[in-house]
Amino acid sequence: MTAPGNTEVVARSSASNRAFDVDRIRGEFPGLHQDIKGKPLVYLDNAASSQKPQQVIDAISDFYAHDYSNIHRGVHELSERATKAYESARLKVQAFMGAASEREIVFVRGTTEGINLVADSFGRANVGEGDEVLITTMEHHSNIVPWQMLCERNGASLKVVPINDRGELEMEEFKKLLGSKTKIVAVGHVSNALGTINPIRTIIELAHAQGTPVLIDGAQAAPHVAIDVRELDCDFYTISAHKMFGPSGMGALYAKESLLEKMPPYQGGGDMILSVSFEKTTYNRLPFRFEAGTPNIAGAVGFGATIDYLNGIGMDRIAAYEEELLDYGTNALRDVPGLRIVGEASHKASVISFVLDGIHPHDIGTILDQEGIAVRTGHHCAQPVMDRFGVAATARASLALYNTREDIDRLVEGLATVREVFS
Ligand SMILES: Cc1ncc(COP(=O)(O)O)c(C=O)c1O
């Protein structure tokens, strides 16, 4: 991460004085220690999904082996244990995000479901004919399409804040587009395609000055920087466990209790009700009202374990380590002949997107794979970003706490091979 705006990142860690021992950390991730195509794996696809530490794998497998049952309604021992494990994971997520109450943490399948929940439920109640939803050019498709669907359904329109050539939001345009018709602002904390860290605190302040709530898509921030939703004063913040070294199909939506209280249910079914008759159904208290059906119980247990893992290292130390690594990687890639980095914002985290003169990103990815190096190529579910920069796709190296300078060096060597093949 290069120089995150210190107003955007709230450092909160008890582990801040210990040295960052990347070798020890790497030792905790079994997935990193394998050969791919006969070469030691270099895993640089963390923005898509990250590898899992043994601690998380063990927590999930121990839970299935010893404590598994359905939650909330059982009176027997196993159900009580499973309920305790599930609800204690919620408390860990609450503390990790800095929320005031566990009632503000809704377990969801991931960031995508968190945004869909807000677009559907908050949107149904608050966004109508002639209203506007304000997003930005650099959003992931999951922070575009749910709002488009809402606008189509309710007769509202979608407004989009442009970005400059460095991949930063044009804040003057944001101010112009934010108007009395704007019923919600939805913006990514960190862009998955560019790595830009957005000035979300300023965005929240400007939106709140005229009473407009703000949703932050935190999918790419949560693995890299500390989050404090109360400090930020955002209204909604969504994260995905699988990008944070936890299980897939699991995530959390933070929502201010005062908003959640007034929002209609998202999905109907078991667990979200207090009583049901054919005449009338009454809904459960928060947050269960928004968790219909049997949830991903083991996923929550794994989510809790991944938060313990991150806290054990300290988010401020992770951010500092990655900032240095991103600088190293950015400088190293800038020296590769014919390479252009897409996204050179002054505040960035984790992501280096690039194109290489005359070589299709898919070819780059395929040749790098032959060298044991995993990067992602394509539009990264951010097609408007590709359009903005006039490319169909990029190759993307995305870093995590277990990557090293040697990984970057291997990438640079791999890119030399790519260039040789195409010379
Ligand atoms: C910025 C951003 N938002 C949302 C998502 C969607 O996350 P998920 O697939 O975990 O729901 C992603 C996933 O890549 C992302 O990078």
Side-chain angles (χ1 to χ4, degrees):
M1 212 178 36
T2 53
N6 55 9
T7 53
E8 304 304 326
V9 176
V10 184
R12 211 165 15 93
S13 167
S14 55
S16 48
N17 292 326
R18 276 186 284 120
F20 191 88
D21 186 350
V22 73
D23 290 335
R24 184 183 59 76
I25 290 171
R26 289 180 67 77
E28 289 161 340
F29 287 81
L32 294 176
H33 305 286
Q34 55 182 308
D35 286 355
I36 301 286
K37 314 273 162 58
K39 313 247 167 74
L41 168 66
V42 171
Y43 190 76
L44 293 170
D45 193 19
N46 297 289
S49 204
S50 54
Q51 297 297 318
K52 317 303 169 198
Q54 193 63 48
Q55 195 171 316
V56 169
I57 299 167
D58 288 347
I60 295 170
S61 115
D62 285 353
F63 174 71
Y64 273 129
H66 304 295
D67 299 320
Y68 183 74
S69 176
N70 211 331
I71 54 166
H72 289 155
R73 293 168 299 273
V75 289
H76 59 81
E77 164 83 19
L78 282 184
S79 179
E80 277 171 18
R81 271 195 236 157
T83 303
K84 203 166 156 209
Y86 183 80
E87 290 306 326
S88 90
R90 195 191 308 276
L91 296 178
K92 289 176 188 177
V93 175
Q94 176 203 336
F96 183 81
M97 299 183 84
S101 153
E102 75 272 22
R103 292 185 296 280
E104 301 183 313
I105 302 296
V106 179
F107 280 142
V108 287
R109 280 191 296 126
T111 302
T112 304
E113 189 175 41
I115 298 170
N116 274 279
L117 189 159
V118 177
D120 184 277
S121 169
F122 176 88
R124 207 174 340 135
N126 296 285
V127 181
E129 185 83 35
D131 289 337
E132 294 173 357
V133 173
L134 185 53
I135 61 168
T136 86
T137 304
M138 74 175 88
E139 300 312 314
H140 187 278
H141 294 165
S142 60
N143 201 25
I144 300 174
V145 183
W147 303 114
Q148 262 172 343
M149 288 161 60
L150 167 69
C151 288
E152 272 168 29
R153 237 180 5 247
N154 291 12
S157 42
L158 195 63
K159 299 286 167 187
V160 184
V161 182
I163 56 180
N164 65 22
D165 291 342
R166 294 164 63 82
E168 295 160 331
L169 286 181
E170 296 202 13
M171 288 303 289
E172 286 313 307
E173 294 304 312
F174 173 79
K175 287 178 200 161
K176 283 185 208 154
L177 286 165
L178 181 69
S180 58
K181 292 184 187 163
T182 315
K183 293 297 175 233
I184 186 162
V185 173
V187 59
H189 192 165
V190 174
S191 156
N192 71 309
L194 301 168
T196 310
I197 301 177
N198 282 317
I200 55 169
R201 184 185 297 270
T202 309
I203 288 171
I204 292 162
E205 275 169 15
L206 288 167
H208 283 182
Q210 57 164 56
T212 307
V214 180
L215 175 140
I216 304 295
D217 167 352
Q220 294 295 342
H224 306 295
V225 299
I227 299 162
D228 191 327
V229 291
R230 258 182 300 172
E231 172 84 19
L232 287 168
D233 196 28
C234 56
D235 302 277
F236 304 101
Y237 196 109
T238 63
I239 60 178
S240 297
H242 71 98
K243 295 188 198 283
M244 304 165 62
F245 321 103
S248 51
M250 188 65 208
L253 167 70
Y254 159 79
K256 274 186 185 159
E257 192 170 351
S258 55
L259 291 170
L260 215 45
E261 265 306 343
K262 288 189 222 128
M263 282 162 52
Y266 170 52
Q267 292 178 331
D271 228 26
M272 53 79 72
I273 52 86
L274 282 179
S275 71
V276 176
S277 73
F278 289 118
E279 289 70 43
K280 184 166 173 59
T281 290
T282 53
Y283 301 123
N284 207 342
R285 62 193 162 88
L286 296 177
F288 311 114
R289 192 188 305 166
F290 290 95
E291 292 179 6
T294 301
N296 184 354
I297 309 166
V301 171
F303 200 2
T306 201
I307 284 172
D308 288 342
Y309 182 78
L310 289 170
N311 286 340
I313 301 171
M315 291 309 296
D316 53 346
R317 294 165 74 233
I318 294 170
Y321 176 76
E322 289 185 11
E323 176 179 348
E324 194 271 331
L325 194 60
L326 181 61
D327 279 348
Y328 181 83
T330 304
N331 289 331
L333 288 197
R334 274 199 192 116
D335 288 342
V336 173
L339 186 144
R340 176 166 70 95
I341 293 179
V342 178
E344 299 206 274
S346 55
H347 299 327
K348 274 187 72 173
S350 158
V351 167
I352 313 175
S353 258
F354 59 91
V355 289
L356 204 49
D357 262 356
I359 306 175
H360 195 282
H362 289 308
D363 293 330
I364 300 174
T366 307
I367 295 168
L368 288 178
D369 180 52
Q370 295 301 316
E371 301 298 313
I373 303 164
V375 299
R376 188 144 297 243
T377 61
H379 55 59
H380 315 296
C381 296
Q383 280 182 317
V385 174
M386 303 297 119
D387 292 345
R388 168 63 180 79
F389 286 93
V391 293
T394 69
R396 180 184 70 183
S398 53
L399 310 171
L401 51 83
Y402 43 58
N403 288 121
T404 60
R405 287 184 172 210
E406 290 71 42
D407 290 342
I408 306 279
D409 296 344
R410 286 269 313 278
L411 173 63
V412 170
E413 283 163 29
L415 290 171
T417 307
V418 173
R419 285 172 44 80
E420 263 167 48
V421 171
F422 281 89
S423 64

